[in-house]
Amino acid sequence: EAEVAQSPRYKITEKSQAVAFWCDPISGHATLYWYRQILGQGPELLVQFQDESVVDDSQLPKDRFSAERLKGVDSTLKIQPAELGDSAMYLCASSRDLEGEQYFGPGTRLTVT
Amino acid sequence: KQEVTQIPAALSVPEGENLVLNCSFTDSAIYNLQWFRQDPGKGLTSLLLIQSSQREQTSGRLNASLDKSSGRSTLYIAASQPGDSATYLCAVRPSAGNNRKLIWGLGTSLAVNP
């Protein structure tokens, strides 16, 4: 069964350092999402891609966060510089189209010290 | 503004019990509703997706219903097992407006005790 892949699974970094996360969606899925989830809360959408284009990045802190999906397949989310408040689970999801069922990867647990 | 509420926040039941998890939403203009399961420290697993035109969906021991007019969805778990212990989240996709991203509940944390 096809799955969304994410790496790394865990990341510990010091504040002010740069960190990057990678996501490979299910093959054929045009829509890719990056979410941030704080313990006890629902996921918060950071950025949504349709193929290589950004559809929604209204909640992405653009002064420090960036995301790209250059060839419309895999995607990278970067934080520079990391802050203590960025500690969270970062989830990637994909769907066949903009309104389809979303499938999530295992997530990356980020701890900023 | 669409809001999604899940009650109770936590639930503990003995193994074998049938149980119902609730999801309420304030705006009936939805495109679909999706139920997810999340184990501690893990990603989300999609359980069921119900389109706005559907009344229910079934997968194994799980049955999800949708009543748009009352703004409610329920997830029914039959013959619960300890392996069902997890947090269950529902998310609603609005049918109208420029921003149709999923609106999430905070989840119900379920513990099934052997």
Side-chain angles (χ1 to χ4, degrees), chain B residues 1-2 25-33 52 66-71 92-97 99-101 103:
Chain B
K1 177 186 174 185
Q2 179 73 273
F25 46 95
T26 55
D27 188 342
S28 62
I30 68 169
Y31 184 81
N32 58 36
L33 183 147
S52 62
L66 175 64
D67 184 344
K68 283 199 308 178
S69 61
S70 66
V92 165
R93 184 182 296 280
S95 62
N99 190 344
R100 297 177 56 206
K101 63 185 179 184
I103 310 298

Side-chain angles (χ1 to χ4, degrees), chain A residues 7 23 31 35 44 50 58 60 66-67 69 72 84 87 91 101:
Chain A
S7 67
C23 173
T31 311
Y35 288 91
E44 173 194 19
Q50 178 68 12
S58 57
L60 188 71
S66 64
R69 192 184 184 199
L84 295 178
S87 295
L91 298 164
E101 185 170 0

Side-chain angles (χ1 to χ4, degrees), chain B residues 19-22 35 47-48 62-64 73-77 88:
Chain B
L19 59 98
V20 173
L21 306 181
N22 297 297
W35 281 93
L47 298 175
L48 290 163
L62 306 179
N63 176 277
S73 176
T74 61
L75 180 67
Y76 175 83
I77 303 177
Y88 291 80

Side-chain angles (χ1 to χ4, degrees), chain B residues 5-85:
Chain B
T5 304
Q6 291 187 249
I7 296 175
L11 182 63
S12 181
V13 300
E15 180 178 3
E17 192 162 297
N18 301 325
L19 59 98
V20 173
L21 306 181
N22 297 297
C23 174
S24 301
F25 46 95
T26 55
D27 188 342
S28 62
I30 68 169
Y31 184 81
N32 58 36
L33 183 147
Q34 200 167 351
W35 281 93
F36 296 88
R37 167 190 172 135
Q38 187 172 32
D39 293 284
K42 307 289 187 182
L44 281 71
T45 300
S46 178
L47 298 175
L48 290 163
L49 180 142
I50 310 178
Q51 300 292 350
S52 62
S53 59
Q54 297 175 319
R55 295 300 300 269
E56 65 178 283
Q57 282 280 3
T58 298
S59 176
R61 293 183 295 108
L62 306 179
N63 176 277
S65 68
L66 175 64
D67 184 344
K68 283 199 308 178
S69 61
S70 66
R72 291 188 60 199
S73 176
T74 61
L75 180 67
Y76 175 83
I77 303 177
S80 59
Q81 304 170 357
D84 295 329
S85 298

